[in-house]
Amino acid sequence: MATAALTASPTTLDAGTAAAVWIRNTGTTRVTVTNGPERSLIRPGSDLDIVPVGAVAAFVQALDGSSGAITYDVSTA
């Protein structure tokens, strides 16, 4: 498992080649996750399991405070 400190600039978690990406919001602000054209919000303490349909990235919008933290796992099989 990896961790990432997030800002308002997207952090790429996977280029879209993984079989699955699991993300847990360990910060105190909402995290925005993009999965190709899809967009999801993860509340603090919640997690999201996705099948990539494109590049997967995470960031915190300015209205949510512009900083946050996640733990994530990229599964290739």
Side-chain angles (χ1 to χ4, degrees):
M1 253 187 271
T3 61
L6 302 176
T7 64
S9 297
T11 298
T12 301
L13 308 179
D14 177 69
T17 57
V21 179
W22 173 82
I23 306 161
R24 178 154 186 88
N25 183 347
T26 57
T28 59
T29 58
R30 291 188 310 174
V31 170
T32 301
V33 175
T34 57
N35 177 17
E38 301 173 1
R39 189 176 269 218
S40 301
L41 292 173
I42 307 174
R43 292 182 309 229
S46 297
D47 59 280
L48 178 67
D49 194 14
I50 58 174
V51 175
V53 295
V56 177
F59 64 97
V60 178
Q61 296 183 48
L63 64 97
D64 290 321
S66 298
S67 65
I70 58 170
T71 299
Y72 66 99
D73 189 35
V74 177
S75 176
T76 57

